Amino acid sequence: MESSSASHPNFYDIGNRVLSRSRWRIPMESSSSSHPNLYDIGNRVLSRSRWRIPMESSSASYPNFNDFTSRLRQPAAADLLQSIKSFTVSFSLQNPHASYDNGKRVQDFLATMETSINEHPLWAHASYEEIDNAIECLEKYIMTKLFNNTFPSSTEDLKLDLEISEKVSLLQHFIKPDHLDVPRVLQNEASWLFAAKELQKINAFKAPRDKLLCIINCCHAINNLLLDISMTSNHKPAGDDDFLPILIYVTIKANPPQLHSNLKYVKLFRKHSKLVSEVEYCLTNLISAKTFIKSIDATSLSMDASQFHKRMQLAKLANAAQSYEGNKPTNQQEYMDVRGYSRYPFMDAEARDLRFEDVHKLLGLYKHQVARYAMLSEALNQLSINENQLLSVINVPQGAEKMKQQINRNAL
Amino acid sequence: MAAPGGNKIRNAKLVLLGDVGTGKSSLVLRFVKGQFVEFQESTIGAAFFSQTLAVNDETVKFEIWDTAGQERYHSLAPMYYRGAAAAVIVYDMTNAASFARAKKWVQELQSQGSPNTIMALAGNKADRLEDREISAEEAQTYAQENGLFFMETSAKTAINVNDMFYEIAKRLIRVQPVQNSQGMTLADKPSQRIVNTTSCCS
């Protein structure tokens, strides 16, 4: 036994590690301490669960690694352990890719293992739930182990993630539920906040099932809000006519990390036989929300086209200023103070020092500076001050005095 | 696997298409709430529904996907109707524009969808005869020309609602018998799955 536990995947350890990050208890508790109201709302939103996997039960007991590992520790499980090990080893030697082929390899492996477990003497008298649990544990184990080989990481994926999150960060500045025609009676910021929080948790997990649960819980919160409203008001239930616009709004408010990559990952690696029915419907809605957001232009919203362009432009300036200020809200005083090298972190940098992720920052700084320069230049122009003249006196003795004289002359 | 009732359960994805205000959801709610099949649970979500229908010795479990009818979301529809075994295209018979939109859906499904998808055209709000803008003859002719089956329905009075879903179920069984479902795969996923009823969504 000892030798096998040394050479085979250590499920106890993995199980404990995976479970210790158990999503349900930890996030709920942490949100309860910081946002007591949100916790209440969350409970209310989720209490009417019509989903067959209520959040509470998935928290502690599912999937149950103890049952799975206790079976695998028996000598009769050696063949299964061997298959698991050889799969993860051979997979991790491949180049990392979230490709259709790799998705298929994982899916085929899970299907083969499902057959093996179904026919295995160790599960001879097991219930459907016990076998299902074993497959869930297996998926969680291999996907946690192979996460770096499977999570989308190509330049194209990174580009799409960045493109979407930048677009959302602009839309966040001005989009209102009315722009998506969400009826007033459905506008409920508290429930939406709860739904958005669920989406934002998506990167806290590695297993496809756990990521998918974040999506389902988000949809679930919106779902229950709509059911509540249909019961307590005269608003006629309008199905996806109501649901999708709210999901789009919530997604924009949440700006979930790596949205494209996470959706791709779940679609490729969540066991396909589990990606059906309501679960598939939820995922499809979020994929279509993402697609819509990515393509939002002046004609997509209930908003005048010229207004849209203006708001987007302003949002760009605001974001540039914000990234320049190191995420602090811009305040007039700081804006006026341009001294201090630390505000220009690339001044000492060489081209070869720059990393891909610097481009974003650099571009933000550049845009901010250009916008600022254009305004200063315009201000000087309005004061009829010649820029070059001004610059020529800046370093000479009594330069400041001369400048003041010039400004005073012009002011008269 | 055997369902509690003893017969086979066939899962069938059904997608709802139609303009805003045609009463798509009301139609489905009438169907889902009005049926009761022993041992089978139905799902009433905000936009996803499921309901089982017994047809002779088979049971069809409809998984009903609603879609957003607003024009601005039109281009997203293929994600929803991909792999659907059936599509119900709903228009409001008191609103000619919604019929024109329904025709657009039919065209799109004919060119983009799967040829195996069973299409039904529902002229909803049939209780409001005095406001009628689209005659039953016109819709019937259109449906015949395009190989759809057509019914005028009313979510309000329940006229033809169950009949329509029952007819879809019968056609599903006729067109895609269980034994051959392997050869009838649509897109990258079979439109119908024979499953243990407790297995999905966990």
Side-chain angles (χ1 to χ4, degrees), chain A residues 80-91:
Chain A
L80 294 178
L81 287 174
Q82 190 50 46
S83 309
I84 296 166
K85 193 186 172 194
S86 71
F87 178 76
T88 50
V89 167
S90 78
F91 199 102

Side-chain angles (χ1 to χ4, degrees), chain B residues 59-178:
Chain B
T59 304
V60 175
K61 182 177 181 196
F62 282 116
E63 289 167 357
I64 302 171
W65 291 39
D66 195 12
T67 60
Q70 293 93 329
E71 189 74 47
R72 74 172 104 235
Y73 304 124
H74 190 106
S75 64
L76 305 170
M79 297 181 212
Y80 293 82
Y81 61 67
R82 185 179 301 139
V88 176
I89 299 129
V90 186
Y91 70 92
D92 170 0
M93 56 161 252
T94 70
N95 177 346
S98 74
F99 185 60
R101 184 87 193 278
K103 286 179 172 175
K104 260 174 81 179
W105 283 121
V106 173
Q107 266 182 348
E108 185 175 326
L109 279 175
Q110 283 168 340
S111 60
Q112 312 287 323
S114 154
N116 294 326
T117 305
I118 290 165
M119 283 197 266
L121 182 66
N124 200 25
K125 304 195 184 175
D127 51 290
R128 289 174 52 192
L129 286 171
E130 67 282 9
D131 298 320
R132 180 192 282 279
E133 284 188 10
I134 300 295
S135 73
E137 293 73 32
E138 183 184 352
Q140 181 66 53
T141 312
Y142 176 77
Q144 263 168 7
E145 286 166 3
N146 288 278
L148 328 163
F149 88 85
F150 165 68
M151 274 185 180
E152 285 195 338
T153 56
S154 166
K156 195 171 173 187
T157 66
I159 291 170
N160 283 341
V161 174
N162 289 345
D163 292 350
M164 183 180 67
F165 285 95
Y166 198 75
E167 180 62 30
I168 296 171
K170 279 203 298 195
R171 288 183 187 219
L172 276 172
I173 290 169
R174 202 184 321 141
V175 175
Q176 297 161 336
V178 170

Side-chain angles (χ1 to χ4, degrees), chain A residues 50 52-53 128 181 223 226 238-241 248 270 274-275 277-278 280-281 284-285 288 291 300-302, chain B residues 20 24-25 41 43-48 63 65-70 72-73 76 79-80 189 199 201-202:
Chain A
R50 281 181 180 276
R52 269 150 285 177
I53 26 157
Y128 170 80
D181 297 330
N223 190 57
L226 290 175
D240 211 39
D241 293 353
I248 290 169
R270 175 62 174 149
K274 298 286 185 177
L275 213 48
S277 197
E278 291 160 301
E280 188 189 8
Y281 183 71
T284 304
N285 266 299
S288 84
T291 309
S300 314
L301 304 174
S302 286
Chain B
V20 178
K24 282 176 299 180
S25 310
E41 58 179 273
T43 311
I44 302 174
F48 178 91
E63 289 167 357
W65 291 39
D66 195 12
T67 60
Q70 293 93 329
R72 74 172 104 235
Y73 304 124
L76 305 170
M79 297 181 212
Y80 293 82
K189 190 176 282 187
S199 71
C201 308
S202 47

Side-chain angles (χ1 to χ4, degrees), chain B residues 37-69:
Chain B
V37 181
E38 215 175 347
F39 303 122
Q40 298 296 329
E41 58 179 273
S42 59
T43 311
I44 302 174
F48 178 91
F49 315 84
S50 77
Q51 180 58 289
T52 27
L53 264 188
V55 181
N56 304 326
D57 60 342
E58 287 199 54
T59 304
V60 175
K61 182 177 181 196
F62 282 116
E63 289 167 357
I64 302 171
W65 291 39
D66 195 12
T67 60

